[in-house]
Amino acid sequence: MITTKGLTKVYRSRGREVTALHGVDLHVREGEVFGVVGTSGAGKSTLIRCVNLLERPTSGTVTVDGVELTALPGDEQRAGRELREARRRIGMVFQHFNLLASRTVQQNVELPLEIIGLDRTQRRRKAAELLDLVGLADKARSYPSQLSGGQKQRVGIARALAGDPKVLLSDEATSALDPETTRSVLKLLRDLNRQLGLTVLLITHEMDVIKTVCDSAALMRGGRVVESGALTDLLADNSSRLARDLFPLGDFASGHPGRTVLEITFQGDTPAQPFVSQLARTYQIDINILGAAVETIAGRMVGRMRVELPGAHADNVVPIGYLREQGLQVDVLDFDANGAAA
Ligand SMILES: Nc1ncnc2c1ncn2[C@@H]1O[C@H](COP(=O)(O)OP(=O)(O)OP(=O)(O)O)[C@@H](O)[C@H]1O
Ligand SMILES: [Mg+2]
């Protein structure tokens, strides 16, 4: 649904150059919620602004819903007709809502409908529908100053949906909100994604947001995407930095030299069966549990356990094979003489 290839953005101001994006390749599938995380200055906002061409990339291509936006005529000041139409199919939600204070909630939602050229009756009907969808039907006549932060963001979302977009872009839409309100706004985004089949590309600096609503994620650093994929795939990858951040295991004890330490990951449908006791019984071995954690990520249960078996790796090939046959992901950790994971 959204594909960027070799996306590069260089900002030039007062003789200085800042390369905000270095050849970013991103692929967001239709109907998914895709999250981008990264530290401040990593290039996240630049990336999202390049996706709807609010910012012209220096090089590379952006394709949304089969249309290569970067091939359409228009510059930063004046977009051509085709580009304006393509943009209408891309909604955008901002951190600070960007509502007009002098207009009522309904008039704020009607604004993009005026630009499209709908008449008064059509605008009213559409705005009422949208406000109902975001749970604000009773606030149509209020002014932004009379709303809470969460309600303002709901207006921002209703306005973003005015052009019946297939794609919604969100730049830190919840970072000005308290945790409770954040949860309800995230739930709204998730519901809209499911009900309308809306593809959502969101930026956040909170791992919790990724955990709660995203199907896939990308990690950005210094203008580059250093890792990306479906959360379920990332979690199954022992070397994934994002998976470590989503599901930290830092507090687990390391093993003892001369023994075998395993990290066992189970997801979703794999029954959280008592595999440890089965293993102990089947092979008559003592198993030392070093740590365990269970989390719900993207609506699926994911568990991880670190266990220690007596003997070296070579002595445990059969029990490890047994665990893998049960559908569990098993990683053998190597520890050096000091007990630190290699
Ligand atoms: N209009 C601009 N002119 C010049 N440099 C810019 C401009 N916008 C962004 N930059 C620079 O580009 C880099 C990436 O900025 P960007 O806003 O995309 O980061 P970000 O990941 O969104 O950060 P944050 O988490 O703080 O919002 C930064 O070094 C920033 O200073
Ligand atoms: Mg930003």
Side-chain angles (χ1 to χ4, degrees):
M1 180 53 89
I2 303 172
T3 305
T4 74
K5 290 219 173 85
L7 202 61
T8 296
K9 176 70 188 178
V10 182
Y11 290 109
R12 293 189 175 86
S13 62
R14 290 189 231 104
R16 280 190 57 230
E17 281 195 358
V18 178
T19 306
L21 299 175
H22 291 268
V24 169
D25 296 328
L26 196 74
H27 184 64
V28 180
R29 288 173 297 177
E30 181 165 5
E32 74 174 342
V33 180
F34 193 108
V36 178
V37 276
T39 47
S40 186
K44 307 181 296 295
S45 295
T46 303
L47 173 62
I48 214 164
R49 291 168 62 81
C50 280
V51 166
N52 63 2
L53 257 58
L54 273 176
E55 206 74 76
R56 267 278 160 185
T58 308
S59 61
T61 63
V62 176
T63 306
V64 178
D65 196 19
V67 179
E68 194 192 318
L69 302 185
T70 34
L72 301 178
D75 55 36
E76 269 174 53
Q77 276 75 42
R78 287 254 306 269
R81 186 182 55 81
E82 288 163 295
L83 179 56
R84 282 201 308 272
E85 259 161 36
R87 264 190 191 153
R88 192 176 301 156
R89 313 287 285 170
I90 306 174
M92 179 112 179
V93 185
F94 304 89
Q95 178 178 3
H96 298 295
F97 326 122
N98 298 6
L99 303 179
L100 296 178
S102 62
R103 285 183 156 231
T104 63
V105 163
Q106 178 177 329
Q107 289 166 341
N108 265 284
V109 177
E110 281 189 22
L111 185 64
L113 301 168
E114 282 166 31
I115 297 167
I116 297 172
L118 292 193
D119 68 31
R120 212 184 147 103
T121 326
Q122 290 170 318
R123 288 199 314 256
R124 286 231 166 131
R125 192 182 328 123
K126 183 76 184 174
E129 258 173 49
L130 291 168
L131 287 172
D132 196 37
L133 193 63
V134 301
L136 281 185
D138 58 331
K139 297 287 181 199
R141 285 160 195 279
S142 303
Y143 285 88
S145 61
Q146 299 169 310
L147 303 181
S148 71
Q151 288 168 336
K152 283 183 202 161
Q153 196 51 290
R154 283 169 189 267
V155 179
I157 293 170
R159 184 190 50 193
L161 296 176
D164 293 321
K166 300 187 93 175
V167 169
L168 190 69
L169 307 178
S170 158
D171 191 351
E172 304 269 10
T174 58
S175 53
L177 306 175
D178 63 65
E180 181 76 31
T181 313
T182 292
R183 267 193 295 281
S184 81
V185 169
L186 291 177
K187 181 171 181 305
L188 174 64
L189 288 178
R190 192 48 158 168
D191 290 347
L192 293 171
N193 157 258
R194 297 220 171 109
Q195 276 172 33
L196 310 176
L198 197 65
T199 304
V200 181
L201 174 60
L202 64 83
I203 284 175
T204 181
H205 58 267
E206 292 165 282
M207 235 32 201
D208 256 359
V209 171
I210 301 282
K211 246 186 241 184
T212 319
V213 288
C214 293
D215 302 299
S216 299
L219 175 65
M220 283 192 79
R221 206 182 292 140
R224 293 186 166 83
V225 167
V226 291
E227 212 183 290
S228 78
L231 295 194
T232 46
D233 295 340
L234 293 171
L235 287 165
D237 175 2
N238 200 36
S239 66
S240 163
R241 172 66 212 283
L242 265 171
R244 293 277 138 186
D245 291 347
L246 281 167
F247 197 167
L249 280 173
D251 296 339
F252 284 12
S254 56
H256 302 91
R259 298 192 181 194
T260 306
V261 176
L262 306 180
E263 220 157 80
I264 303 168
T265 307
F266 43 98
Q267 284 198 45
D269 301 334
T270 311
Q273 54 194 328
F275 51 82
V276 173
S277 58
Q278 280 175 12
L279 188 69
R281 234 181 296 127
T282 310
Y283 296 99
Q284 301 286 316
I285 46 180
D286 290 325
I287 298 167
N288 185 19
I289 296 175
L290 301 171
V294 177
E295 282 250 21
T296 303
I297 297 174
R300 281 162 70 96
M301 196 196 73
V302 184
R304 217 173 241 171
M305 187 178 266
R306 189 181 281 187
V307 300
E308 190 182 58
L309 311 183
H313 185 177
D315 306 322
N316 286 300
V317 173
V318 175
I320 292 169
Y322 170 85
L323 289 170
R324 288 184 175 146
E325 270 173 25
Q326 313 299 306
L328 299 163
Q329 182 203 327
V330 182
D331 295 294
V332 182
L333 301 191
D334 292 317
F335 288 95
D336 62 23
N338 301 319

